[in-house]
């Protein structure tokens, strides 16, 4: 039997999942981050990687035929010619790239994905000003560098991580406008996610009791890995993440891009994963209710009866999707004395915003919505699920699996001949 390992480096910690060739989970490992924000992230990541690998039961480790790793989008670092980092990495939410946006706007096409303070390219241009930059030879994303530790080949990435570096995921090449920047270090060679790169380094295989012919594959980002885990496979199927915010991802045969709403598309084989994110979501609910109150009050909501309350639930002014208005004010009045009625109104209003979001994606050319899988904490709220089904008018179900590590394991499995994923990754 050949097994497959997916490793997720997310915002709260690292996780590993081992699956068999029928996609059944055989083992799971977790390693939470226990660090201050100014800590040594490189050492933290490296320790987490070895800890997860060492935690795999020996009888399973000897059967793992492929490994894939995901990381947070736009988390990057610079290394020297041996792969040693020359400075601290910049994390996914680091906005120091805002200092170079004025220059980047004059180079990149209008409304391009890289025109964000947190994009990989903006971070790279900012890092060129660092004293340590003269030592740098390679730019790598988090997932790229962690995979390098396993296979030993520098300068390789995937087209999910490379999107915010400016890589053209439609033509599968770096665009001419990016080449004109004459960046004096090596940008990564970009492969399709899941493509085998090379075998595990022999010394690692021996030390950890893993197969010497185990393949290390090109990775992906954490959010796409979570989508792959959901069970969505066909055009028109979507995943809504009901976390602190409301994130929509719709699988489409048509690429949709519209920077006005923060909408962009990732390539998934011969399909596109398009989506956007609203600032409404679970953070608003937790501002008014405890977890216990959300559970008890939701039980008494009659989901068949629409609420008469019309809110736009935000914690502060401004939203981008599906309404692009940085001055959009939260609308949370009138507030009834009955907390159950108030919660009903909030859930109804968020369901309307979700519906408007999918309608906007379809108006811009995406496939018609046929099914919505649900991830995040809100998936456990049956009242919210029922209300959303009434608005969306398509089946609404919980995701098959919500672990990004599981989606990454599927990616590793697919490239060894099992067609479990959409398109032809």
């Amino acid at each position: 039997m050949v097994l497959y390992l997916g490793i997720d480096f997310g915002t709260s910690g690292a996780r590993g999942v081992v699956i068999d060739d029928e996609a059944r989970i055989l083992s799971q490992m977790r390693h939470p981050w226990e660090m201050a924000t100014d800590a040594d992230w490189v050492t933290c990541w490296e320790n987490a990687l070895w800890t997860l690998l060492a935690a795999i039961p020996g009888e399973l480790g000897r059967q793992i035929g492929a490994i894939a790793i995901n990381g947070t989008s736009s988390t990057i670092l610079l290394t020297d010619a041996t792969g040693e980092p020359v400075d601290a990495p910049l994390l996914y939410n680091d906005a120091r790239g805002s200092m170079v946006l004025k220059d980047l706007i004059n180079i990149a096409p209008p409304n391009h994905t890289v025109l964000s303070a947190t994009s990989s390219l903006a971070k790279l241009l900012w890092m060129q000003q660092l004293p340590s930059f003269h030592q740098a030879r390679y730019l790598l994303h988090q997932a790229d560098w962690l995979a390098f530790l396993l296979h030993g080949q520098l300068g390789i990435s995937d087209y999910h991580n490379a999107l915010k570096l400016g890589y053209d995921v439609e033509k599968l090449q770096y665009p001419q406008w990016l080449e004109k920047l004459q960046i004096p270090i090596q940008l990564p060679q970009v492969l399709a996610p899941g493509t085998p790169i090379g075998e595990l380094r022999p010394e690692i295989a021996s030390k950890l009791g893993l197969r010497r012919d185990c393949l290390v594959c090109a990775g992906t980002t954490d959010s796409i890995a979570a989508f792959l885990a959901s069970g969505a496979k066909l055009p028109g199927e979507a995943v809504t993440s009901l976390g602190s915010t409301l994130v929509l991802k719709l699988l489409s045969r048509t690429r949709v891009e519209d920077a006005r709403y923060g909408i962009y598309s990732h390539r998934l084989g011969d399909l596109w994963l398009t989506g956007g994110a609203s600032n409404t979501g679970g953070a608003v609910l937790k501002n008014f209710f405890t977890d216990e109150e959300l559970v008890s009050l939701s039980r008494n909501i009659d989901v068949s009866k629409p609420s008469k309350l019309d809110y736009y639930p935000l914690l502060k002014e401004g939203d981008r999707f599906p309404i692009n208005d940085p001055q959009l004010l939260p609308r949370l009045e009138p507030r009834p004395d009955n907390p159950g009625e108030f919660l009903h109104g909030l859930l109804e209003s968020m369901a309307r915003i979700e519906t408007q979001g999918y309608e906007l994606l379809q108006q811009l050319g995406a496939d018609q919505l046929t099914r919505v899988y649900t991830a995040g904490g809100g998936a456990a709220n049956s009242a919210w699920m029922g209300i959303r089904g009434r608005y969306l008018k398509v089946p609404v179900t919980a995701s098959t699996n919500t672990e990004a590590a599981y989606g990454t394991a599927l990616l590793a499995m697919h490239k060894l001949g099992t067609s479990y994923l959409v398109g032809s990754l």
Side-chain angles (χ1 to χ4, degrees):
M1 181 186 296
V2 179
L3 307 181
Y4 310 90
L5 171 64
I7 302 178
D8 163 43
F9 276 73
T11 56
S12 60
R15 299 170 178 83
V17 169
V18 178
I19 63 173
D20 64 15
D21 54 9
E22 295 185 6
R24 294 175 299 196
I25 296 175
L26 302 184
S27 182
Q28 299 184 70
M29 304 75 71
R30 292 177 180 271
H31 185 90
W33 305 137
E34 298 175 354
M35 312 179 61
T37 54
D38 60 349
D40 180 357
W41 280 108
V42 165
T43 301
C44 175
W45 297 342
E46 193 167 4
N47 289 341
L49 179 63
W50 304 135
T51 300
L52 290 176
L53 290 172
I56 300 170
E59 68 275 12
L60 299 184
R62 289 186 289 273
Q63 298 178 76
I64 293 174
I67 300 172
I69 300 176
N70 77 67
T72 48
S73 179
S74 292
T75 293
I76 65 168
L77 69 167
L78 300 174
T79 78
D80 62 18
T82 68
E84 189 69 25
V86 301
D87 214 317
L90 295 190
L91 302 187
Y92 62 97
N93 57 355
D94 194 305
R96 278 176 275 190
S98 61
M99 299 174 62
V100 300
L101 277 184
K102 287 184 179 179
D103 296 330
L104 193 52
I105 286 172
N106 296 324
I107 299 167
N111 299 324
H112 197 281
T113 307
V114 299
L115 297 177
S116 163
T118 59
S119 75
S120 300
L121 184 58
K123 290 186 177 85
L124 172 58
L125 296 185
W126 181 85
M127 293 174 93
Q128 285 188 241
Q129 307 168 31
L130 296 174
S132 59
F133 189 79
H134 75 279
Q135 305 172 49
R137 295 295 179 269
Y138 293 95
L139 173 136
L140 296 174
H141 300 90
Q142 180 186 31
D144 308 338
W145 184 73
L146 289 163
F148 152 73
L149 295 180
L150 298 183
H151 58 61
Q153 299 183 44
L154 273 168
I156 300 176
S157 187
D158 63 88
Y159 60 56
H160 291 161
N161 275 293
L163 177 72
K164 295 180 183 177
L165 184 58
Y167 185 77
D168 188 330
V169 295
E170 193 155 13
K171 295 181 179 178
L172 298 178
Q173 62 186 31
Y174 284 108
Q176 289 187 347
W177 64 261
L178 182 57
E179 294 175 353
K180 290 178 182 177
L181 283 172
Q182 296 183 325
I183 296 170
I185 62 171
Q186 182 69 45
L187 296 182
Q189 174 190 357
V190 180
L191 305 177
T195 302
I197 297 172
E199 293 182 353
L200 201 61
R201 289 162 55 193
E203 63 271 26
I204 295 174
S206 297
K207 182 178 180 180
L208 296 173
L210 302 174
R211 285 174 50 159
R212 285 181 172 267
D213 62 348
C214 176
L215 291 171
V216 182
C217 304
T220 183
T221 65
D222 56 344
S223 63
I224 294 182
F227 180 91
L228 296 175
S230 70
K233 299 176 183 177
L234 303 174
E237 294 185 335
V239 173
T240 296
S241 295
L242 301 177
S244 299
T245 58
L246 187 70
V247 181
L248 279 54
K249 293 183 182 295
L250 174 61
L251 201 56
S252 174
R253 285 167 287 200
T254 303
R255 184 181 185 182
V256 177
E257 306 271 336
D258 198 317
R260 293 175 300 168
Y261 303 101
I263 296 171
Y264 61 90
S265 294
H266 272 287
R267 185 172 188 146
L268 277 180
D270 53 4
L271 299 176
W272 297 94
L273 185 58
T274 184
S278 171
N279 292 332
T280 195
V284 179
L285 298 178
K286 292 193 174 185
N287 188 59
F288 295 105
F289 303 100
T290 65
D291 290 343
E292 293 75 17
E293 287 171 334
L294 286 171
V295 172
S296 61
L297 293 172
S298 295
R299 288 197 192 105
N300 298 317
I301 294 175
D302 185 349
V303 300
S304 67
K305 295 182 179 179
S307 170
K308 295 180 181 179
L309 299 168
D310 182 17
Y311 299 143
Y312 202 101
L314 299 170
L315 287 179
K316 59 183 180 180
E317 70 177 41
D319 206 0
R320 192 175 187 183
F321 174 86
I323 296 175
N324 180 20
D325 182 355
Q327 277 80 50
L328 182 67
L329 294 174
R331 192 168 69 246
L332 296 164
E333 300 289 343
R335 181 170 176 177
D337 295 331
N338 185 322
E341 290 181 19
F342 182 48
L343 176 59
H344 189 181
L346 291 174
L347 296 181
E348 287 264 347
S349 300
M350 291 178 185
R352 281 195 294 270
I353 293 170
E354 178 187 10
T355 302
Q356 291 168 12
Y358 281 121
E359 288 174 347
L360 176 59
L361 294 176
Q362 291 167 94
Q363 289 167 11
L364 294 172
D367 277 63
Q368 182 175 347
L369 188 69
T370 59
R371 177 182 291 273
V372 176
Y373 293 86
T374 308
N381 190 311
S382 58
W384 201 0
M385 295 281 280
I387 292 168
R388 293 170 53 235
R390 173 158 46 81
Y391 275 94
L392 292 166
K393 295 180 172 56
V394 298
V396 176
T397 58
S399 292
T400 303
N401 194 297
T402 59
E403 287 283 359
Y406 179 75
T408 311
L410 292 177
L411 189 65
M413 179 176 70
H414 173 77
K415 270 305 171 184
L416 289 193
T418 307
S419 56
Y420 219 86
L421 303 179
V422 294
S424 53
L425 286 170

